[in-house]
Amino acid sequence: MFAEERKEQILSFLREHKRANIHELTEAFQVSGATIRADLREMEGLGVIKRTHGGAIYREDMLSDQDGIASRDFYGQEKEWIACTAAKLVKEGETIILDGSTTNIYLARQLKEIKDLTVITNDIMVAGEIYQCPNIKIIFCGGIMRPMYGCTAGAEAIAFIQRLSVDKAFISPNALSISRGAFTPNLDTADTKKAFIKAADKNYLLCTSNKIGKKAMCHFGSLEDFECMITDDHIKERDREAIEKAGMPIYICGES
């Protein structure tokens, strides 16, 4: 088992049991106490757990994969605002990436009239929004589809993406730290998003304001990786100021 996989499983163990001591974790994962302590130090540094004397406890403010599924239907209005703004950045004849996210489902709906557009996606619901548009070519990333999500991720998808060079990518996080960057709960998803970012000349971060300050396990990009961030007008003033101070251009959109 790779170290990142083990840390994901440690997090799942703590999520289920709320707390664990070193002995329990060494028994569960068949590694040394030194290895477990190193894992816990790194995980605490990411803010996803809290170490205690002889063990660790789960942080209740940590975003999980299950939370991601549960939140797909929330903030629909805000996602539509973000999608309308993002669509203005897409030009005729471009090749773009829409990663697996609810926000990009909304964005796909805004692109149906753009001529000679090529859309690369790993999300079956994104593809489903535009597959009947004769003016749009869809390239779907292969690989193993994640149950319940309708998205491909992992080694096969990444190998395909690494062959690509595109104009723009529109990427959504599950959680955003202003100091550390964009996060998602799943390692394969994070690696897939990293591959998308590398494939594009320009990257745009589509992030509803409720994700700012949330925490998730797997980092996939820093603010410097993106041309700008597009968010909704519910963003807290202190978050807006901190993002601008970090040098990230930010577009704030709301009801027109």
Side-chain angles (χ1 to χ4, degrees), residues 153-170:
E156 292 85 358
I158 292 166
F160 176 81
I161 296 164
Q162 288 173 339
R163 298 163 54 196
L164 305 175
S165 177
V166 308
D167 296 302
K168 297 167 182 172
F170 296 86

Side-chain angles (χ1 to χ4, degrees), residues 96-111:
I96 66 169
I97 286 169
L98 303 182
D99 80 334
S101 68
T102 314
T103 304
N104 273 332
I105 296 172
Y106 284 89
L107 177 52
R109 293 172 187 169
Q110 301 293 326
L111 304 178

Side-chain angles (χ1 to χ4, degrees), residues 59-70:
R59 289 188 56 163
E60 294 295 337
D61 60 348
M62 178 63 183
L63 186 69
S64 69
D65 252 3
Q66 289 73 25
D67 296 327
I69 294 175

Side-chain angles (χ1 to χ4, degrees), residues 142-255:
I144 298 172
M145 187 168 289
R146 296 188 63 209
M148 302 297 293
Y149 284 87
C151 300
T152 57
E156 292 85 358
I158 292 166
F160 176 81
I161 296 164
Q162 288 173 339
R163 298 163 54 196
L164 305 175
S165 177
V166 308
D167 296 302
K168 297 167 182 172
F170 296 86
I171 309 292
S172 291
N174 296 88
L176 182 70
S177 164
I178 296 170
S179 61
R180 295 181 57 83
F183 288 79
T184 190
N186 179 268
L187 181 63
D188 283 342
T189 301
D191 288 343
T192 303
K193 288 177 184 285
K194 286 180 184 177
F196 278 147
I197 290 169
K198 290 181 180 178
D201 292 336
K202 295 182 178 180
N203 295 285
Y204 299 91
L205 187 66
L206 311 184
C207 182
T208 52
S209 60
N210 66 305
K211 296 176 181 178
I212 302 171
K214 291 280 183 70
K215 297 182 183 297
M217 178 72 176
C218 304
H219 179 267
F220 68 83
S222 301
L223 294 186
E224 293 81 5
D225 293 323
F226 299 93
E227 296 291 312
C228 69
M229 172 179 167
I230 305 174
T231 191
D232 59 81
D233 63 7
H234 300 318
I235 185 173
K236 296 175 182 176
E237 184 65 18
R238 67 172 183 271
D239 290 335
R240 181 192 65 78
E241 291 176 353
I243 291 168
E244 291 178 340
K245 187 176 180 180
M248 162 72 89
I250 181 170
Y251 291 91
I252 299 174
C253 46
E255 189 171 8

